[in-house]
Amino acid sequence: QAQMYNARGQVSLARQGWDEAANWFDESIHQSLAGGWTILEGFARKDLALASLGQERIQEAGEQVEKAEALFKAASFTEGLAHINRIRALIYRAQEDYSKSERALRKALEYFDTKDELAEAARTQLEIARTLRARSRPRPVVVRALLDALDRAELCRSDALVREIENDLKSLDEVELYNHIYRRVRGRDISEDTVSLISGKRESGTVMFLDVKDSTVYARNRDPEEVMMALNQMMADFSEVLGQHKASVTEYLGDGFMALVR
C-alpha cells in the first residue's frame, strides 16, 4: 500500500496535480511509519518535497528534504542521497542560488552515471541545462547540455522524457533540434551534406538486411499495440548491438531494417 500510494502520487506529479500528489505522499508516509519502512518513507518525503515545490512552498520542500536525507543516511542508502541532491538543487534554483544548484546536480549526476541509471542521469542532465539557462549562461552551453540530456534519454528509451527535453531545446534553438532529429533518422555517423548529387568519395561498405522471421504469424492474432511495442523493443536492442560495431540503421522496413557498416 505504501508503495502504491507513492506511485499514485508520482502520477499526480506528472499531471502537475500538486495537492492530490501531496495527499498520496502523506498517506504513503503514514503507512511507511506504521510498517517501519525507512527507505519507503524517505522516498515518500522526497517526492512530497517535489509536490511542495510545485505549490511554491519552498520552506516546506526544504523541511521534507531534510527529513528524507536523515532517513537515507541512517540506512546508508546512497541512491536516495543522490535523489536528495537533485531535489535540493531544485530548491536552490527556486531560491536563485544557481551555483549551489549546479554543484548539487553534478554530484547527483556523478552517482547516476556510475550506477548506469540512464533515466535518472537523463533527468538530472536536463535539470543541469535548466539551471544553466536560469543563470543566463551562453546559449551554446545550454544547447550542448540539452543535447547531452537528449542523448541520454534516447538511450534509456524514455519517450516522455525525450519529448520533454525536445520541448526545452525547441524553445531555445529550434534549428539545433531539427538537426538532431535529422541525424536520428538519417544515421548519426552519416554526413549531413546533401547539397550535391554528384560530389562525394568512393569507399567500401557493407550493407546488412535483417528481417524478423515469422513476424506475420506472430502478429496475426495479437493486438496491434502489443505487436508494435514488441518490434520496437527488438529493433532498439538490435540497434545497440550494431552501434558496438560502428554500424548504423539507415532504414527501417516494417519488421526489419537495412544497416550500413562503412
Side-chain angles (χ1 to χ4, degrees):
Q1 283 182 327
Q3 288 178 317
M4 289 303 300
Y5 289 146
N6 188 273
R8 292 290 297 269
Q10 290 178 31
V11 171
S12 297
L13 276 183
R15 294 172 174 166
Q16 297 187 348
W18 313 121
D19 293 337
E20 183 179 66
N23 290 334
W24 285 118
F25 295 137
D26 281 336
E27 197 59 37
S28 181
I29 291 169
H30 175 74
Q31 294 285 345
S32 298
L33 285 168
W37 300 309
T38 301
I39 292 177
L40 273 177
E41 181 189 347
F43 271 111
R45 292 191 181 280
K46 179 264 294 183
D47 291 330
L48 181 56
L50 286 174
S52 298
L53 273 175
Q55 297 167 313
E56 298 184 354
R57 298 176 179 175
I58 309 301
Q59 183 176 344
E60 290 182 20
E63 291 170 357
Q64 292 301 327
V65 163
E66 293 294 334
K67 291 178 181 179
E69 182 178 42
L71 291 166
F72 289 146
K73 282 184 176 179
S76 299
F77 187 54
T78 52
E79 178 186 344
L81 294 174
H83 283 278
I84 290 300
N85 277 325
R86 189 167 66 197
I87 297 176
R88 182 166 280 133
L90 302 185
I91 294 173
Y92 288 144
R93 191 168 70 206
Q95 296 170 335
E96 299 185 358
D97 193 339
Y98 302 124
S99 295
K100 283 186 178 179
S101 177
E102 187 176 347
R103 283 198 299 271
L105 285 167
R106 294 196 183 281
K107 188 174 181 181
L109 181 62
E110 182 181 0
Y111 173 86
F112 293 131
D113 275 343
T114 301
K115 300 298 181 180
D116 289 328
E117 292 279 356
L118 294 177
E120 299 298 347
R123 166 62 62 186
T124 306
Q125 180 63 34
L126 170 59
E127 296 301 345
I128 288 174
R130 287 172 172 173
T131 295
L132 292 172
R133 189 174 186 178
R135 69 186 301 184
S136 300
R137 294 294 300 275
R139 188 174 71 169
V141 174
V142 182
V143 168
R144 181 64 259 168
L146 284 170
L147 289 171
D148 188 359
L150 192 50
D151 286 339
R152 293 168 184 270
E154 289 170 350
L155 284 174
C156 72
R157 307 179 195 172
S158 173
D159 58 317
L161 188 53
V162 166
R163 281 194 292 269
E164 186 176 353
I165 298 169
E166 285 182 345
N167 287 336
D168 276 38
L169 183 55
K170 185 176 182 179
S171 69
L172 187 65
D173 192 330
E174 194 169 1
V175 172
E176 191 59 50
L177 169 63
Y178 294 142
N179 283 336
H180 181 88
I181 293 173
Y182 174 86
R183 289 191 294 270
R184 182 195 297 161
V185 176
R186 173 81 175 170
R188 297 176 192 276
D189 58 345
I190 295 176
S191 172
E192 295 179 27
D193 183 11
T194 58
V195 175
S196 172
L197 298 178
I198 58 175
S199 64
K201 63 180 181 179
R202 180 183 289 108
E203 61 179 83
S204 298
T206 300
V207 177
M208 170 186 173
F209 290 93
L210 180 137
D211 182 77
V212 178
K213 185 178 179 180
D214 294 332
S215 62
T216 304
V217 176
Y218 168 78
R220 188 166 292 150
N221 296 314
R222 285 181 168 82
D223 183 89
E225 184 176 356
E226 178 188 349
V227 175
M228 286 299 299
M229 183 178 293
L231 286 173
N232 284 340
Q233 290 287 347
M234 291 172 67
M235 296 304 163
D237 288 340
F238 295 153
S239 183
E240 284 186 14
V241 176
L242 290 170
Q244 295 169 14
H245 299 277
K246 298 183 179 179
S248 59
V249 175
T250 58
E251 185 178 4
Y252 286 100
L253 306 165
D255 61 348
F257 58 70
M258 181 174 72
L260 176 66
V261 185
R262 303 180 70 178

